[in-house]
Amino acid sequence: MIRSRIIGTGQYLPEKILTNHDLAKLMDTSDEWIRQRTGIAQRHVAEEGEGASALGYPAAKRALEAAGVDPGEVDFIICCTTTPDYLFPATACLIQEMLGCRRAAACDVSAACSGFVYGLATADAFIRAGLYKTVLVVGAERQANRLNWKRRETAVLFGDGAGAVLLRAEEGERGVLKTYLGADGRHADILIMLTGGSRKPFEDTTQEEEQLAIHMDGQDLFKRAVGAFGLAVHKTLEGSGVSVDDLDLFVPHQANTRIVYTAAERLGLPAEKVFMNIEKVGNTTAASVPLALDEAVRQGCLKEGDNLMLAAFGAGLTWGGALVRW
Ligand code: COA
């Protein structure tokens, strides 16, 4: 059976770091509040003028280097982002040009914080169908210049960064075993960026505050996120022959430490099997899962044959999971 095996991972974080203490000088917040409620201590912030492609490119390059694969071998590039460089063309096309992947098709996937899992499932489907052999999935987010720094309830949560994985079609038991995706558009309004799209372009808005405002019902989202993580993991495992107890590592979307550990506890997953890096990077939306995965790889948390679960939840609402035999 042909499977998509992850043969390389990579990440990129901008050099500039904004700690909770830095934020406390900009707004009425504190290190203690942010750490207790979210688990975040700092986030990285890209330079002025840098878009998502400037972060996605080095992460993708590292994934190719880790796999020892030439850019010319890549068939398809999927960039998962909510902060594309432009409304069009796709950020994936900009990354294709930067990498020199001349023969690769390229497009973006937009599913907010679940974007990477959606992108991975899409790549896996193309590989299983026999259409492509080598697919690059990049999660890249440039959140900081889109945040309204006067809104402490959202400004403290997000960070910039990118992660990437390179998938290759291989015969055998290793690779993506199963994916599952879900969505519920009835709750689109509980986490939404109202401006900047076709319904309400930035120039139509009068107040600066409104221009850069992510609207979020934090408490509603919190409860739904816990449930969605559980659903994503159970549905992904269904029929796979792998149980929660068989999982060796869980790399979730880094939304919030409390959300993740509450979901893990309900699933019966011990905390030591949960990989978290939110403390150092914040919530990097679609970049969060591949960034955390690369970190887990570098820390030697995965060995051949391990059962890895990736899961995410985000605006849309969207959620999903991927079960991978490492
Ligand atoms: N610093 C200090 N105080 C803050 C604050 C901040 N950054 N943001 C909000 N507060 C205040 C509120 O104004 C409120 O004050 P009040 O009691 O005087 O009215 C108080 O803290 C509690 O606010 P509340 O919204 O009830 O906090 P909470 O316990 O729900 O935590 C979140 C807020 C955002 C951390 C939490 O709801 C959450 O994590 N939600 C999910 C968010 C998420 O993961 N989004 C991305 C999904 S992919």
Side-chain angles (χ1 to χ4, degrees), residues 94-154:
L94 309 179
I95 293 174
Q96 184 236 34
E97 163 60 13
M98 289 163 155
L99 289 170
C101 295
R102 293 279 168 265
R103 48 180 288 275
C107 74
D108 287 359
V109 161
S110 171
C113 299
S114 311
F116 178 77
V117 174
Y118 267 71
L120 186 71
T122 306
D124 179 51
F126 272 95
I127 287 177
R128 279 174 194 258
L131 292 169
Y132 294 131
K133 274 184 105 165
T134 309
V135 183
L136 189 57
V137 187
V138 187
E141 293 287 10
R142 172 66 165 111
Q143 292 284 354
N145 63 355
R146 205 181 56 175
L147 291 170
N148 184 337
W149 294 97
K150 289 180 185 148
R151 296 212 171 184
R152 62 180 183 175
E153 66 278 14
T154 45

Side-chain angles (χ1 to χ4, degrees), residues 29 33 37 113 152-153 156 216 218-219 221 253 256 283:
T29 192
W33 192 96
R37 309 265 173 151
C113 299
R152 62 180 183 175
E153 66 278 14
V156 302
M216 183 180 81
Q219 289 185 1
L221 206 55
H253 164 49
N256 176 311
N283 179 345

Side-chain angles (χ1 to χ4, degrees), residues 16 26 47 139 160 255 271 297 300:
K16 189 173 160 192
L26 301 173
E47 292 298 326
D160 297 342
V297 170

Side-chain angles (χ1 to χ4, degrees), residues 27-30 33-34 37-38 113 151-158 191 216-223 225 253 255-256 258-259 283 285 313-315:
M27 63 189 81
D28 181 16
T29 192
S30 67
W33 192 96
I34 302 170
R37 309 265 173 151
T38 69
C113 299
R151 296 212 171 184
R152 62 180 183 175
E153 66 278 14
T154 45
V156 302
L157 301 179
F158 300 98
L191 181 55
M216 183 180 81
D217 182 338
Q219 289 185 1
D220 194 8
L221 206 55
F222 192 104
K223 281 181 250 160
H253 164 49
N256 176 311
R258 289 187 301 147
I259 291 176
N283 179 345
T285 37
F313 163 85

Side-chain angles (χ1 to χ4, degrees), residues 33-315:
W33 192 96
I34 302 170
R35 273 182 196 265
Q36 272 183 3
R37 309 265 173 151
T38 69
I40 299 166
Q42 61 171 51
R43 70 285 297 141
H44 291 249
V45 175
E47 292 298 326
E48 203 60 41
E50 281 183 325
S53 67
L55 313 183
Y57 160 64
K61 191 164 181 279
R62 286 170 189 167
L64 284 169
E65 285 166 0
V69 167
D70 189 83
E73 293 175 54
V74 177
D75 298 308
F76 189 20
I77 300 172
I78 299 174
C79 181
C80 316
T81 184
T82 61
T83 50
D85 286 41
Y86 310 109
L87 283 177
F88 63 87
T91 300
C93 293
L94 309 179
I95 293 174
Q96 184 236 34
E97 163 60 13
M98 289 163 155
L99 289 170
C101 295
R102 293 279 168 265
R103 48 180 288 275
C107 74
D108 287 359
V109 161
S110 171
C113 299
S114 311
F116 178 77
V117 174
Y118 267 71
L120 186 71
T122 306
D124 179 51
F126 272 95
I127 287 177
R128 279 174 194 258
L131 292 169
Y132 294 131
K133 274 184 105 165
T134 309
V135 183
L136 189 57
V137 187
V138 187
E141 293 287 10
R142 172 66 165 111
Q143 292 284 354
N145 63 355
R146 205 181 56 175
L147 291 170
N148 184 337
W149 294 97
K150 289 180 185 148
R151 296 212 171 184
R152 62 180 183 175
E153 66 278 14
T154 45
V156 302
L157 301 179
F158 300 98
D160 297 342
V165 303
L166 189 68
L167 296 170
R168 173 146 286 173
E170 271 189 19
E171 290 280 349
E173 292 309 307
R174 294 176 68 193
V176 179
L177 301 185
K178 200 163 168 268
T179 61
Y180 159 77
L181 303 174
D184 189 348
R186 288 175 301 173
H187 307 294
D189 60 341
I190 70 169
L191 181 55
I192 189 166
M193 179 83 188
L194 288 167
T195 50
S198 57
R199 200 183 290 196
K200 207 173 182 192
F202 281 136
E203 61 267 27
D204 279 2
T205 56
T206 46
Q207 292 176 339
E208 191 207 332
E209 292 245 341
E210 278 307 304
Q211 283 200 1
L212 289 170
I214 294 172
H215 291 265
M216 183 180 81
D217 182 338
Q219 289 185 1
D220 194 8
L221 206 55
F222 192 104
K223 281 181 250 160
R224 290 182 191 281
V226 171
F229 269 124
L231 182 70
V233 171
H234 281 306
K235 286 277 187 189
T236 307
L237 290 174
E238 218 171 78
S240 70
V242 176
S243 70
V244 170
D245 290 343
D246 298 328
L247 293 176
D248 298 292
L249 193 68
F250 179 43
V251 178
H253 164 49
Q254 311 282 311
N256 176 311
T257 311
R258 289 187 301 147
I259 291 176
V260 171
Y261 285 122
T262 307
E265 197 182 330
R266 290 191 192 168
L267 280 161
L269 256 176
E272 59 271 19
K273 288 188 178 178
V274 181
F275 187 86
M276 295 299 292
N277 68 341
I278 192 173
E279 189 182 359
K280 287 193 245 161
V281 299
N283 179 345
T284 57
T285 37
S288 125
V289 174
L291 196 50
L293 177 60
D294 182 69
E295 196 64 42
V297 170
R298 284 174 194 229
Q299 289 182 22
C301 300
L302 282 159
K303 57 181 190 316
E304 191 173 327
D306 274 355
N307 289 316
L308 163 70
M309 174 63 71
L310 307 174
F313 163 85

